[in-house]
């Protein structure tokens, strides 16, 4: 047997073992854990793909009577299957880790409910990934979907990609948290950005704007790099505006919490544009304008350090924005100026994509003190409203914002009421802030049950 | 490797698979296992993107195969300008129905070898992506 054929056979055997191992891993997760969201759909789909790959391997003919070109092409195909599995591999373990014991279930359920209310993503099926990074991310499902559709053309017989399947990563250390996990609403924005057809209009605007700054020496690849970078920045702003429209200042507070954890609140650092993200200062300027236009000004006037930080970073002038490359930091770059020119279009697009009438700011104004008084007495807010004033029950957004504001502004009011605790004890603040998050999560769960009970004609 | 990196590497894999579809169709054509129509369809999908590279700096007209920086970069790394021009001309000759069968076979073989190179480079870039800012873009970034 020629070394070319024997090498190809070994390659095929390696793909076979890898595929069997991935299939078995998925089966084990489905057997031993319970999941919230679309993780079971992802595991079942991966098993079905594995079955398709194994069928391909059964039919694969690698022998001396095949041409050298055919053998070479089949080996390349085996390499591509390995590369596909390596992409899926990156998602499988974080998805497996995000079982019901490790993620805030009420928040994920609330996210799923919100998707159902938004026409462009009503079929969305979100798979939560527990990430090792101290950052949140959305894994682009359209890229994966496109790759998969091409895989189906070279491996006929594979099942179709599950409709609306998407992935959102949560840092494992924040898994039990409510407040910082509100950042996932931004990640949901990426999902919408990929799904909505209106994005094509923005791509055209980006392309036209980039053309105004291009130089004669740029190749097609260079031009695509610039367009992709500016579009990526625009996408980040779109997702921020979407998250604010959905959950209000609680998203901005979560963003600032995370920025604080990763050490990004310094004005110089916050002014830096990177190839993956626009400057935090630029993003926060958009946050502030959106919060004001959506009617959240009252919460911005609370005595909260985050509100001051927001105003400080948002106040950084365009001229101080810098483009940060691996070995240089450039002020006033043409790229940043081009991006700033398209910002009005990004705002317009976010309004067009999600224009529901947001009642939460008015509800928050009326109920914030009631939520504060419940939390400072250690009472789950929804329980108090249920018994005393059911019609006064806040919605999930108003409740979350009131609770987040309480955590940032008024933890001392709760700790003072607890025997043996002092309001300056760091450990007491950490312990009771976790408790405030638990009470809020419980309230969100109660609200959801109540709403589903009303929808089914039952009183809860 | 972070999941973010997975996002940026996926276009390489997409290109590798797109090239393999062309290779499969051409191999089937050589082994007389496919209709000419299939060859025309496969070539029709990649031709607009390839032709766009012949006029550097032009936007790529709705190409599904060469629509990202990663894919454009891989094509540039695999084929020189003259090789790219040769690939486009060979593809056009393959579509010429007046060509003899032996000429078509010879063209198909040349193209299979070229697309094997492209798919291999795409897989190599998938494994070891270079995230550096392109040199000419750096010059643009310095402009104010």
């Amino acid at each position: 047997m020629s070394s070319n054929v024997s090498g190809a056979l070994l390659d095929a055997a390696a793909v076979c073992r890898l595929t069997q191992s991935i299939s078995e891993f998925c089966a084990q997760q489905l057997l031993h854990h319970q999941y919230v969201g679309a993780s079971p759909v992802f595991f079942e789909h991966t098993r079905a793909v594995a079955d398709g790959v194994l069928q391909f391997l059964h039919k694969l003919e690698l022998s001396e009577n095949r041409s050298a070109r055919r053998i070479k092409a089949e080996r390349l195909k085996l390499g591509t299957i390995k590369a596909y599995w390596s992409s899926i591999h990156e998602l499988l373990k974080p998805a497996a880790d995000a079982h019901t014991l490790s993620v805030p279930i009420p928040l994920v359920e609330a996210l799923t409910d919100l998707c159902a209310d938004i026409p462009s993503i009503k079929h969305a099926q979100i798979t939560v990934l527990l990430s090792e990074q101290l950052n949140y991310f959305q894994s682009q499902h359209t890229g994966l979907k496109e790759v998969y559709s091409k895989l189906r053309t070279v491996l006929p017989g594979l099942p179709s990609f599950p409709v609306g399947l998407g992935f959102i990563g949560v840092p494992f250390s924040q898994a039990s948290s409510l407040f910082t996990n509100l950042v996932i609403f931004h990640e949901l924005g990426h999902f919408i950005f990929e799904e909505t057809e209106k994005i094509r209009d923005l791509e055209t605007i980006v392309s036209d704007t980039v053309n105004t700054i291009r130089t004669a020496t740029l190749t097609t690849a260079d031009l695509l790099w610039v367009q992709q970078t500016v579009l990526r920045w625009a996408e980040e702003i779109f997702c921020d505006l979407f998250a604010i429209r959905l959950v209000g200042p609680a998203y901005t507070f979560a963003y600032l919490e995370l920025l604080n954890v990763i050490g990004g609140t310094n004005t110089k650092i916050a002014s830096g544009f990177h190839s993956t993200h626009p400057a935090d200062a630029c993003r926060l300027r958009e946050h502030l304008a959106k919060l004001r236009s959506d009617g959240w000004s009252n919460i911005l006037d609370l005595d909260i350090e985050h509100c001051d930080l927001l105003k400080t970073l948002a106040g950084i002038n365009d001229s101080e924005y810098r483009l940060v490359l691996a070995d240089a930091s450039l002020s006033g770059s043409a790229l940043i100026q081009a991006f700033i020119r398209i910002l009005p279009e990004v705002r317009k697009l976010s309004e067009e994509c999600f224009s529901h009438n947001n009642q939460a700011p008015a509800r928050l104004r009326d109920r914030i003190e009631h939520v504060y008084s419940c939390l400072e007495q250690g009472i789950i807010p929804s329980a108090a409203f249920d018994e005393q004033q059911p019609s006064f029950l806040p919605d999930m957004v108003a409740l979350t914002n009131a609770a987040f504001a309480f955590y940032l502004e008024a933890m001392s009011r709760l700790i003072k009421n607890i025997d043996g605790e002092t309001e300056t004890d760091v450990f007491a603040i950490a312990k009771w802030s976790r408790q405030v998050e638990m009470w809020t999560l419980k309230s969100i769960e109660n609200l959801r049950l109540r709403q589903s009970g009303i929808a089914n004609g039952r009183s809860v | 490797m972070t999941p973010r990196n997975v996002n940026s590497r996926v276009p390489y894999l997409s290109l590798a698979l797109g090239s393999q579809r062309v290779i499969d169709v051409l191999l089937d054509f050589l082994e007389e296992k496919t209709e000419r129509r299939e060859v025309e369809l496969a070539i029709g999908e990649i031709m607009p993107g390839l032709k766009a590279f012949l006029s550097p700096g032009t936007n790529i007209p709705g190409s599904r195969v060469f629509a990202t920086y990663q894919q454009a970069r891989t094509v540039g790394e695999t084929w020189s300008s003259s090789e790219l021009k040769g690939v486009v001309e060979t593809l056009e000759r393959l579509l010429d129905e007046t060509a003899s069968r032996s000429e078509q076979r010879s063209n198909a073989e040349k193209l299979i070898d070229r697309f094997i190179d492209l798919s291999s480079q795409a897989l190599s870039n998938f494994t070891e992506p270079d995230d550096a800012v392109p040199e000419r873009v750096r010059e643009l970034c310095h402009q104010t």
Side-chain angles (χ1 to χ4, degrees):
Chain A
M1 189 186 293
S2 71
S3 61
N4 193 25
V5 172
S6 62
L9 285 167
L10 277 178
D11 271 358
V15 170
C16 181
R17 288 173 61 179
L18 175 63
T19 306
Q20 287 170 332
S21 164
I22 285 174
S23 180
E24 179 61 20
F25 178 83
C26 293
Q28 290 297 320
Q29 305 319 307
L30 288 164
L31 197 64
H32 296 301
H33 297 293
Q34 286 206 317
Y35 292 93
V36 65
S39 303
V41 175
F42 177 47
F43 293 135
E44 292 287 8
H45 171 69
T46 304
R47 287 192 72 194
V49 176
D51 287 346
V53 170
L54 294 174
Q55 277 176 27
F56 160 77
L57 293 173
H58 269 298
K59 291 178 193 160
L60 186 63
E61 193 192 334
L62 297 169
S63 61
E64 300 293 353
N65 55 11
R66 305 218 81 188
S67 72
R69 275 197 185 84
R70 179 62 88 172
I71 298 287
K72 205 170 177 182
E74 297 295 12
R75 288 190 84 166
L76 209 49
K77 202 178 287 177
L78 292 168
T80 311
I81 296 170
K82 279 190 267 184
Y84 177 76
W85 281 138
S86 109
S87 299
I88 295 298
H89 206 274
E90 297 300 315
L91 302 172
L92 274 179
K93 183 67 167 68
D97 288 343
H99 48 70
T100 46
L101 295 177
S102 60
V103 296
I105 299 167
L107 185 66
V108 177
E109 286 175 337
L111 191 73
T112 308
D113 289 351
L114 281 165
C115 288
D117 285 343
I118 302 169
S120 59
I121 53 163
K122 68 179 175 186
H123 300 302
Q125 305 187 79
I126 304 294
T127 304
V128 179
L129 309 175
L130 218 53
S131 155
E132 63 186 26
Q133 295 175 284
L134 188 52
N135 205 348
Y136 292 76
F137 64 86
Q138 184 256 0
S139 192
Q140 285 177 353
H141 64 289
T142 49
L144 197 61
K145 222 160 56 175
E146 186 193 316
V147 160
Y148 186 70
S149 74
K150 285 188 176 146
L151 188 68
R152 289 181 80 201
T153 66
V154 295
L155 300 183
L158 294 184
S160 55
F161 196 79
V163 176
L165 185 66
F167 306 90
I168 288 180
V170 171
F172 75 86
S173 62
Q174 307 299 312
S176 62
S177 158
L178 166 64
F179 296 143
T180 48
N181 275 329
L182 292 170
V183 170
I184 63 180
F185 287 95
H186 166 98
E187 306 308 326
L188 186 61
H190 285 291
F191 199 88
I192 289 177
F193 194 85
E194 289 187 38
E195 288 287 316
T196 182
E197 278 301 309
K198 286 179 180 167
I199 299 310
R200 305 290 87 78
D201 298 344
L202 188 61
E203 284 175 351
T204 306
I205 291 163
V206 167
S207 175
D208 292 346
T209 309
V210 166
N211 271 334
T212 65
I213 59 164
R214 67 188 261 201
T215 54
T217 56
L218 289 187
T219 63
T220 303
D222 297 334
L223 202 60
L224 283 167
W225 189 94
V226 176
Q227 287 172 359
Q228 276 175 228
T229 301
V230 173
L231 189 65
R232 204 177 297 129
W233 291 345
E235 182 174 344
E236 293 301 325
I237 299 288
F238 173 91
C239 297
D240 280 354
L241 298 179
F242 170 80
I244 289 171
R245 172 51 66 92
L246 218 54
V247 289
Y251 167 65
T252 300
F253 293 154
Y255 182 99
L256 288 165
E257 286 277 298
L258 199 64
L259 199 61
N260 204 15
V261 169
I262 60 176
T265 55
N266 171 298
T267 53
K268 189 176 174 202
I269 293 173
S271 306
F273 278 71
H274 297 259
S275 62
T276 51
H277 281 77
D280 291 305
C282 176
R283 294 174 70 170
L284 289 168
R285 188 165 67 182
E286 295 299 318
H287 282 217
L288 188 58
K290 179 72 173 163
L291 288 168
R292 284 182 173 144
S293 70
D294 277 2
W296 293 102
S297 293
N298 60 325
I299 210 162
L300 298 175
D301 294 332
L302 293 175
D303 183 19
I304 295 175
E305 193 186 26
H306 280 38
C307 293
D308 297 335
L309 182 61
L310 167 64
K311 289 168 194 166
T312 302
L313 296 180
I316 293 174
N317 199 283
D318 288 3
S319 59
E320 292 176 60
Y321 293 161
R322 299 168 300 115
L323 181 62
V324 182
L325 304 176
D327 55 355
S329 173
L330 314 165
S331 297
S333 168
L335 241 64
I336 296 175
Q337 290 171 21
F339 170 66
I340 287 171
R341 282 207 297 280
I342 64 157
L343 277 176
E345 297 296 336
V346 182
R347 293 176 203 130
K348 195 171 129 198
L349 182 71
S350 86
E351 288 294 326
E352 285 172 5
C353 288
F354 193 60
S355 57
H356 90 137
N357 186 15
N358 192 357
Q359 302 293 326
R363 290 209 182 107
L364 179 70
R365 269 194 297 277
D366 295 339
R367 293 153 177 83
I368 190 166
E369 265 311 314
H370 291 268
V371 174
Y372 270 40
S373 62
C374 287
L375 291 175
E376 74 185 35
Q377 293 168 67
I379 297 169
I380 294 174
S382 62
F385 284 120
D386 263 347
E387 287 167 12
Q388 295 156 20
Q389 300 162 286
S391 63
F392 206 60
L393 205 62
D395 61 18
M396 178 258 177
V397 175
L399 174 73
T400 307
N401 276 282
F404 209 149
F406 178 87
Y407 158 69
L408 294 171
E409 185 189 29
M411 279 303 294
S412 60
R413 282 163 63 172
L414 165 64
I415 295 171
K416 268 187 211 163
N417 287 333
I418 297 162
D419 288 343
E421 301 281 28
T422 54
E423 60 195 86
T424 52
D425 179 352
V426 172
F427 290 91
I429 297 169
K431 180 170 87 179
W432 291 101
S433 60
R434 259 198 299 273
Q435 202 58 51
V436 165
E437 287 191 292
M438 296 298 290
W439 293 332
T440 312
L441 270 173
K442 182 66 187 155
S443 292
I444 291 171
E445 193 175 21
N446 289 347
L447 286 174
R448 189 172 178 271
L449 285 172
R450 186 184 167 81
Q451 277 159 2
S452 66
I454 290 167
N456 292 328
R458 286 181 275 117
S459 72
V460 175
Chain B
M1 180 175 60
T2 66
R4 268 285 177 201
N5 287 342
V6 170
N7 287 344
S8 66
R9 296 186 323 150
V10 156
Y12 295 119
L13 186 51
S14 182
L15 177 62
L17 284 161
S19 304
Q20 278 167 34
R21 161 144 165 77
V22 176
I23 296 166
D24 275 354
V25 168
L26 292 175
L27 278 167
D28 286 349
F29 176 72
L30 281 180
E31 293 168 10
E32 298 183 1
K33 288 181 186 167
T34 191
E35 299 290 320
R36 188 180 168 77
R37 176 83 191 122
E38 281 296 310
V39 179
E40 288 169 357
L41 275 175
I43 293 177
E45 280 177 24
I46 56 163
M47 200 59 125
L50 287 177
K51 280 187 170 172
F53 287 115
L54 294 174
S55 316
T58 53
N59 284 332
I60 296 184
S63 166
R64 288 168 54 220
V65 182
F66 307 109
T68 68
Y69 160 71
Q70 291 89 336
Q71 292 163 352
R73 185 196 132 193
T74 307
V75 171
E77 285 171 344
T78 313
W79 300 327
S80 67
S81 304
S82 59
E83 284 170 334
L84 170 62
K85 201 171 166 210
V87 167
V88 170
E89 284 168 0
T90 313
L91 283 167
E92 281 169 342
R93 279 204 298 276
L94 191 65
L95 293 177
D96 179 2
E97 289 186 49
T98 62
S100 68
R101 179 69 190 168
S102 67
E103 200 182 337
Q104 286 182 338
R105 286 185 66 86
S106 161
N107 286 331
E109 283 171 355
K110 276 184 212 157
L111 287 167
I112 290 167
D113 293 342
R114 290 292 185 211
F115 278 94
I116 283 178
D117 290 344
L118 183 61
S119 189
S120 301
Q121 184 64 40
L123 280 179
S124 167
N125 287 347
F126 173 85
T127 308
E128 282 185 10
D130 176 4
D131 293 331
V133 179
E135 194 50 46
R136 285 172 296 269
V137 174
R138 290 176 62 84
E139 290 164 18
L140 176 72
C141 292
H142 278 82
Q143 284 182 20
T144 57

